[in-house]
Amino acid sequence: MIKLYLAYYLDVLNDNQLEVIRHLGFETYEREDINRFRKEVKNKREILDVLNVLKNFEIVPGYSVQKNEIYYDFDENSSEKNEIISNEVGKEFLFFLLTLLEKEKESIAKSREKLGNIIESLSYDYMVQMNIWNKYGFARLYIKQEDKDIGFLDLINNWYKTEPEQETFFKDLLQDNRIKTLSKYFQKKEGYAAI
């Protein structure tokens, strides 16, 4: 009998994301002096559920396999893991898993492309330059007009910082549905919204 896990490096998560995965029953562990997280999955439905959560965080996990005392982590040689899965659960299941992980990568790339298109259309419509900054659990949309910084929108908390003469512009911008779409995306990605 084998145990199959979906796993990844712990350091990619911010505090909110970490709280979400703990609440959903993921476990954290250390291996080779690197902190990691994982969730045991027992069937295709559980795999889809875990991938759905991690896709919101823009994470495509690897898979780990344990058979008796032998454990192959997600970042170790996949040929042995694949052989164990194929022998114990079947080649069809292995194909399902590998195909699904590849589709998740493509889905995340498409989502990022869509965000880029939204920012491009906003920049064009408002005649400004916009750039996303997304680190440490924050997501901000920095805005320049004619190479002059005019402020930023906090996409997590829906507020802005600017000079008084730009407040009307930022208030209008916050009402744009495209900004609301960006905000919802980053609230989910950073673990602030229900998944």
Side-chain angles (χ1 to χ4, degrees), residues 8 23 75 78 91 102 116 120 126 134 137 143 177-178:
Y8 207 69
H23 179 72
D75 56 357
S78 61
K91 288 182 181 179
E102 192 58 38
E120 188 177 312
Y126 289 97
N134 178 223
I143 303 171
N177 285 333
R178 294 169 291 184

Side-chain angles (χ1 to χ4, degrees), residues 50-99:
V50 169
L51 289 177
N52 186 47
V53 170
L54 296 179
K55 180 170 63 172
N56 286 319
F57 298 159
E58 293 185 350
I59 296 171
V60 178
Y63 58 100
S64 305
V65 176
Q66 181 175 355
K67 182 177 181 184
N68 303 322
E69 298 302 315
I70 300 170
Y71 182 77
Y72 293 105
D73 215 341
F74 67 92
D75 56 357
E76 294 179 314
N77 189 336
S78 61
S79 61
E80 288 90 358
K81 293 188 296 188
N82 291 349
E83 187 177 321
I84 290 171
I85 294 170
S86 184
N87 291 339
E88 296 287 327
V89 190
K91 288 182 181 179
E92 298 81 20
F93 186 86
L94 176 62
F95 182 73
F96 166 80
L97 177 63
L98 297 175
T99 302

Side-chain angles (χ1 to χ4, degrees), residues 6-51:
L6 294 178
Y8 207 69
Y9 300 108
L10 192 61
D11 66 348
V12 301
L13 298 176
N14 66 42
D15 290 343
N16 293 321
Q17 293 167 328
L18 184 56
E19 194 59 38
V20 169
I21 68 161
R22 279 190 181 140
H23 179 72
L24 295 173
F26 286 73
E27 63 180 292
T28 59
Y29 64 105
E30 184 181 324
R31 188 172 169 102
E32 298 173 1
D33 295 325
I34 299 172
N35 293 320
R36 304 151 188 253
F37 67 92
R38 68 184 178 192
K39 171 90 171 157
E40 184 178 359
V41 289
K42 296 178 181 169
N43 55 49
K44 291 178 180 181
R45 178 80 250 154
E46 288 183 4
I47 291 171
L48 291 168
D49 290 344
V50 169
L51 289 177

